[in-house]
Amino acid sequence: MEWSSPPLELRLLANEVHVWRVKLDQLIEQVPLLEPLLSTEEQVRAKRFRFDLHRSRFIVSRGYLRKILACYLNLQPDQITFGYRARGKPFLAMSTEISFNVSHSAGLALYAIAPHRQVGIDVEQVRAIAATEIANRFFAPSEQATLQSQAPDQQQATFFRYWTCKEAYLKATGEGLAQALDQIEISLNLEAPAQLLKIAGDPQIAKQWAIQELIPDAGYVGAIAVEGTDWHPVFWDGSGLGGT
């Protein structure tokens, strides 16, 4: 996938989902400019971080969320206001024209913007964890078998591929971990794109959604889940937004 600099005037077509990548650690110097854009609640949250790096990453990720959304809404970033659904999924308080979702891991953030359809996105830095042990607790039996059939040096990346696909779907629906991970069954292999097979045992629900895996940067994996199948992704590099 190719991450392009965005044009001066962004257009979001009905059959597009825009995916933005922001490398947080490359933008730490913008923290003094971005922090005033945040809401009072976001600034309070930022102050709770124990480590400066984590606090700075939070400020950059939230500041760039506002900058990105402002491009579509023809507003200033500090004019963006959010509401929150029952399970905490954010939405735009001033517009029903677009939906969005955001995820960040370590020094990377991904944003998904979609018109008139639900969307979820997730990114994870691939790292050493007890992959098969966690999968045996939370994944479907077929997914556990796929993971266990792989060489140990492949299992970490495969685990996070499954995880990001499941998380992207849960974030799109707004259910979060209220729905068990093993109720979302994913097909993963090297020959075909990732596919939702069943939701709570029902393949018909799965057919109402499409997922696409992402490789946003070295050492990271991600996925987007989008309502419907009549769409295609467009990839933007958030550094192309320039200054505030």
Side-chain angles (χ1 to χ4, degrees):
M1 60 190 61
E2 182 178 347
W3 301 85
S4 303
S5 296
L8 292 177
E9 293 187 9
L10 276 166
R11 294 184 61 203
L12 180 64
L13 302 182
N15 64 342
E16 292 180 343
V17 174
H18 288 189
V19 181
W20 292 76
R21 177 185 68 177
V22 172
K23 296 183 178 182
L24 304 175
D25 292 352
Q26 295 181 5
L27 300 167
I28 296 298
E29 73 280 356
Q30 292 192 25
V31 164
L33 297 174
L34 294 169
E35 190 168 12
L37 304 180
L38 273 54
S39 68
T40 301
E41 184 270 338
E42 289 170 320
Q43 293 181 23
V44 170
R45 285 178 61 188
K47 289 181 172 64
R48 292 177 185 154
F49 284 93
R50 179 178 178 184
F51 298 107
D52 288 344
L53 178 59
H54 297 165
R55 173 181 173 275
S56 295
R57 285 172 172 173
F58 173 80
I59 292 170
V60 174
S61 68
R62 298 297 292 193
Y64 266 76
L65 172 61
R66 291 173 173 277
K67 289 180 62 169
I68 289 167
L69 291 172
C71 293
Y72 295 95
L73 298 172
N74 196 27
L75 295 172
Q76 294 300 313
D78 59 357
Q79 295 177 308
I80 303 295
T81 57
F82 303 111
Y84 295 89
R85 307 201 186 279
R87 299 191 185 277
K89 184 181 181 181
F91 64 91
L92 281 168
M94 75 285 290
S95 173
T96 59
E97 295 298 309
I98 62 174
S99 58
F100 73 93
N101 201 234
V102 58
S103 178
H104 61 87
S105 178
L108 191 70
L110 294 181
Y111 308 83
I113 314 292
H116 300 294
R117 65 176 81 214
Q118 295 303 309
V119 62
I121 194 163
D122 194 55
V123 63
E124 292 286 347
Q125 184 181 46
V126 178
R127 56 197 184 275
I129 60 167
T132 56
E133 185 177 318
I134 298 172
N136 289 342
R137 293 180 58 195
F138 297 110
F139 285 7
S142 63
E143 298 164 344
Q144 297 174 28
T146 297
L147 199 64
Q148 291 167 358
S149 70
Q150 295 187 328
D153 61 346
Q154 297 177 313
Q155 290 178 349
Q156 307 295 328
T158 300
F159 171 88
F160 284 112
R161 289 175 63 199
Y162 274 125
W163 185 274
T164 53
C165 287
K166 291 169 182 279
E167 274 286 299
Y169 170 78
L170 289 171
K171 293 177 70 177
T173 62
E175 288 298 311
L177 292 180
Q179 183 169 12
L181 288 172
D182 63 0
Q183 296 296 297
I184 306 155
E185 191 169 348
I186 308 289
S187 170
L188 282 186
N189 60 66
L190 296 178
E191 289 75 34
Q195 183 180 357
L196 276 170
L197 296 178
K198 298 176 184 178
I199 305 297
D202 189 342
Q204 296 305 313
I205 298 177
K207 289 180 180 178
Q208 299 171 22
W209 295 83
I211 57 174
Q212 179 167 332
E213 292 189 84
L214 308 172
I215 305 176
D217 204 9
Y220 291 85
V221 296
I224 50 173
V226 184
E227 185 179 18
T229 57
D230 56 334
W231 59 274
H232 66 271
V234 178
F235 301 101
W236 300 121
D237 184 352
S239 62
L241 287 176
T244 58

